[in-house]
Amino acid sequence: MRNIKSKARVELIKLNGETQKVILNIIKDGLIYLLNRMDKVENHNVIKHLTLLYFNISGENEKEIIEFENLSVREQGIFYHIMIEGITDVIIVNQYLTMIYLTREDKDKIIEEIIKFISNITGFSEFKVNRKIKLNIKKERKNARL
């Protein structure tokens, strides 16, 4: 039997172990947030499809492969938003980083790999992903001052 992996899983495997953990935790927390707001989500298939994508990325399910491209535009937007929010948390408050002796270079490498992962999955350029992250950081810092 041939082992078929999703494109997202292949992209994740290319990254170092710490970056993989961070990405999976970002997605998992985003899904938990969506589940907690289930009453505000009009279409529950959104959560189902994003959960299947998470399982494909994590390697926990290779029977029902769902690629990022197969998601609806709304689902793609939600996934992109989850990733941008997550990387913003990594940059601002070191959330999801578990290494005790993490240097600035290590953190920068993890951030760089996450940006590359987002870019490869979504098809957006790294420049566009970086710009969105910077705008999100600016918004978060402005909200923190209020």
Side-chain angles (χ1 to χ4, degrees):
M1 185 169 153
R2 200 175 116 199
N3 193 7
I4 300 173
K5 291 187 176 149
S6 73
K7 173 186 166 192
R9 176 74 181 149
V10 171
E11 291 297 329
L12 185 75
I13 291 171
K14 294 178 185 176
L15 308 175
N16 79 49
E18 187 65 21
T19 304
Q20 291 177 13
K21 288 180 205 172
V22 170
I23 289 171
L24 293 175
N25 285 329
I26 288 171
I27 299 168
K28 189 176 3 170
D29 280 358
L31 289 171
I32 291 169
Y33 176 78
L34 286 176
L35 285 170
N36 288 332
R37 297 176 48 96
M38 185 83 104
D39 56 323
K40 301 209 188 296
V41 178
E42 311 87 44
N43 185 350
H44 296 279
N45 281 336
V46 169
I47 295 172
K48 176 186 175 190
H49 292 153
L50 291 175
T51 303
L52 281 172
L53 180 63
Y54 167 77
F55 286 145
N56 292 152
I57 292 171
S58 67
E60 295 178 33
N61 176 24
E62 294 181 357
K63 292 179 182 171
E64 188 176 349
I65 300 291
I66 186 164
E67 297 286 355
F68 179 80
E69 296 83 23
N70 300 118
L71 300 175
S72 70
V73 172
R74 179 166 164 62
E75 293 164 346
Q76 289 178 357
I78 291 170
F79 179 81
Y80 184 64
H81 180 75
I82 287 170
M83 294 304 297
I84 296 298
E85 287 293 322
I87 196 168
T88 300
D89 290 341
V90 169
I91 294 168
I92 294 177
V93 294
N94 293 332
Q95 190 167 346
Y96 307 111
L97 300 177
T98 57
M99 292 174 54
I100 295 171
Y101 302 105
L102 188 70
T103 65
R104 180 69 189 168
E105 291 79 26
D106 294 334
K107 180 180 174 182
D108 290 345
K109 179 72 173 158
I110 289 169
I111 291 167
E112 180 184 315
E113 286 188 334
I114 295 171
I115 290 169
K116 197 169 287 193
F117 175 80
I118 296 169
S119 176
N120 289 338
I121 297 305
T122 63
F124 294 140
S125 70
E126 288 181 35
F127 174 79
K128 183 174 182 177
V129 174
N130 266 316
R131 189 176 67 204
K132 181 66 175 168
I133 292 166
K134 287 178 183 172
L135 289 172
N136 206 46
I137 290 170
K138 187 177 180 180
K139 179 186 85 175
E140 290 293 324
R141 288 188 174 150
K142 182 181 177 186
N143 288 341
R145 283 185 262 152
L146 295 178

